[in-house]
């Protein structure tokens, strides 16, 4: 087992965006952002390696750790696409409604 990968794609009217989070076994994690045309042919790919959070003098200074902000940008985009694709907002909304309702919350699964 060498590499773990999670990939999501979003289809737009004339294009497709594919975001992939890759976790290699012996290297830094990286995010890939691929733009595809309407025929799913790649037109551009951008990859960003996770910064080494332990080497800067001040690891709490985001400009020192990730000076271009590329990791933060792609990581934020990946998280938003992941939330959309997995339906995170619908799950949270469902839980909030259950908590605000009277009586028992949900039902137990059947054995």
């Amino acid at each position: 087992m060498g590499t773990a990968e999670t990939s999501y794609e979003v289809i737009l009217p004339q294009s497709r965006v594919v975001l992939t989070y890759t976790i290699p076994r012996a290297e830094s994690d990286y995010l890939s952002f691929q733009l595809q045309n309407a025929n799913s042919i790649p037109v551009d790919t951008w990859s960003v390696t996770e910064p080494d959070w332990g080497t800067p003098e001040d690891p709490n200074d985001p400009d020192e750790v990730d000076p271009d902000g590329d990791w933060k940008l792609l990581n934020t985009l990946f998280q938003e696409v992941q939330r959309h694709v997995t339906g995170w907002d619908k799950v949270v909304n469902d839980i909030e409604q259950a908590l605000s309702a009277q009586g028992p919350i949900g039902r137990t699964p059947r054995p």
Side-chain angles (χ1 to χ4, degrees), residues 77-89:
L77 181 60
F78 180 86
Q79 290 175 9
E80 288 303 314
V81 169
Q82 180 182 36
R83 286 181 183 138
H84 174 75
V85 171
T86 61
W88 172 259
D89 56 337

Side-chain angles (χ1 to χ4, degrees), residues 19-68:
L19 286 153
T20 306
Y21 192 111
T22 305
I23 305 170
R25 187 173 189 176
E27 299 172 29
S28 296
D29 297 356
Y30 63 92
L31 286 160
S32 299
F33 175 79
Q34 185 178 78
L35 300 174
Q36 299 177 353
N37 65 19
N39 297 321
S40 300
I41 297 171
V43 295
D44 196 12
T45 301
W46 179 35
S47 292
V48 177
T49 302
E50 182 176 19
D52 182 357
W53 303 101
T55 45
E57 287 182 28
D58 182 3
N60 296 318
D61 181 358
D63 292 331
E64 192 175 334
V65 176
D66 185 16
D68 300 329

Side-chain angles (χ1 to χ4, degrees), residues 67-100:
D68 300 329
D70 293 344
W71 174 262
K72 182 179 180 183
L73 174 68
L74 271 190
N75 192 36
T76 300
L77 181 60
F78 180 86
Q79 290 175 9
E80 288 303 314
V81 169
Q82 180 182 36
R83 286 181 183 138
H84 174 75
V85 171
T86 61
W88 172 259
D89 56 337
K90 293 175 185 171
V91 171
V92 170
N93 186 42
D94 197 34
I95 292 168
E96 287 174 344
Q97 286 182 3
L99 290 173
S100 66

